[in-house]
Amino acid sequence: MSGRRVRIAPFAPEHAPALQRLAADPRIAATTRLPDPYPPDGAARFIAEATAARAEGTAHAFAVLAEGTLVGSCGLKEVQGGEAELGYWIGVPYWGRGYATEAARLVALFAFETLGLRRLHAHTLVRNPSSGRVLEKVGFRAVGEAANPFAEWSPEDRIRRYVLERPASR
């Protein structure tokens, strides 16, 4: 699927070197659930797991490509009961170009039009307002804040939860 400047494609082994380089930046781990340090085989392992999850229908991870260059990752996990969680990250050299918004919009379209899901969930760290703006531009609405349940971040961190419902048919 493609948008104006971005296209999404299922992850494939050829994406591993670029994914490994981008995911290894500790600034990515600071606001995502990626491990820091990122393991040397992290990208290859992630792609293998993503391929298996896609085959099972439980998750759909996409390479975010801008002009043929891998710039990040966007996808759905915990696909079940007509719902899924949307997540994304863009590599540091590509921040501030709108790629996350375009990719999230494409993945939401895939969720609703291809998978027939009725609702998407997402969460961001409150201290990462840029990520919240991405979701809001796609149409997500904030539905509350909660204590951080994830070991990757500080216990003092708070998360903001978002929801996007499938648009009514026209």
Side-chain angles (χ1 to χ4, degrees):
M1 295 180 90
S2 34
R4 278 187 352 194
R5 301 172 305 142
V6 165
R7 118 183 138 78
I8 57 171
F11 273 104
E14 61 265 19
H15 296 127
L19 181 64
Q20 185 71 35
R21 267 191 316 279
L22 294 174
D25 189 315
R27 291 171 287 181
I28 298 299
T31 57
T32 69
R33 298 193 56 217
L34 293 179
D36 182 25
Y38 197 67
D41 66 341
R45 201 168 17 147
F46 169 78
I47 291 169
E49 291 168 2
T51 301
R54 178 179 290 278
E56 294 169 0
T58 57
H60 297 271
F62 293 98
V64 179
L65 304 163
E67 298 178 10
T69 299
L70 187 133
V71 299
S73 175
C74 188
L76 303 168
K77 65 180 187 177
E78 299 176 17
V79 179
Q80 62 183 1
E83 301 186 10
E85 181 177 341
L86 179 124
Y88 49 88
W89 61 266
I90 298 296
V92 174
Y94 308 103
W95 284 359
R97 299 184 192 182
Y99 294 152
T101 301
E102 287 188 47
R105 193 171 283 127
L106 290 170
V107 172
L109 253 127
F110 170 82
F112 295 137
E113 294 181 2
T114 303
L115 299 181
L117 300 182
R118 70 178 189 285
R119 179 179 301 128
L120 296 178
H121 305 271
H123 65 268
T124 65
L125 286 164
V126 170
R127 66 178 161 86
N128 185 7
S130 298
S131 192
R133 282 193 297 278
V134 165
L135 293 171
E136 290 164 0
K137 288 177 189 174
V138 173
F140 279 79
R141 64 182 166 77
V143 293
E145 288 185 16
N148 166 36
F150 305 110
E152 293 89 348
W153 303 317
S154 163
E156 287 80 37
D157 270 320
R158 296 200 44 87
I159 61 167
R160 185 166 289 128
R161 298 187 185 281
Y162 294 83
V163 172
L164 178 64
E165 306 283 341
R166 177 174 53 209
S169 301
R170 296 177 199 199

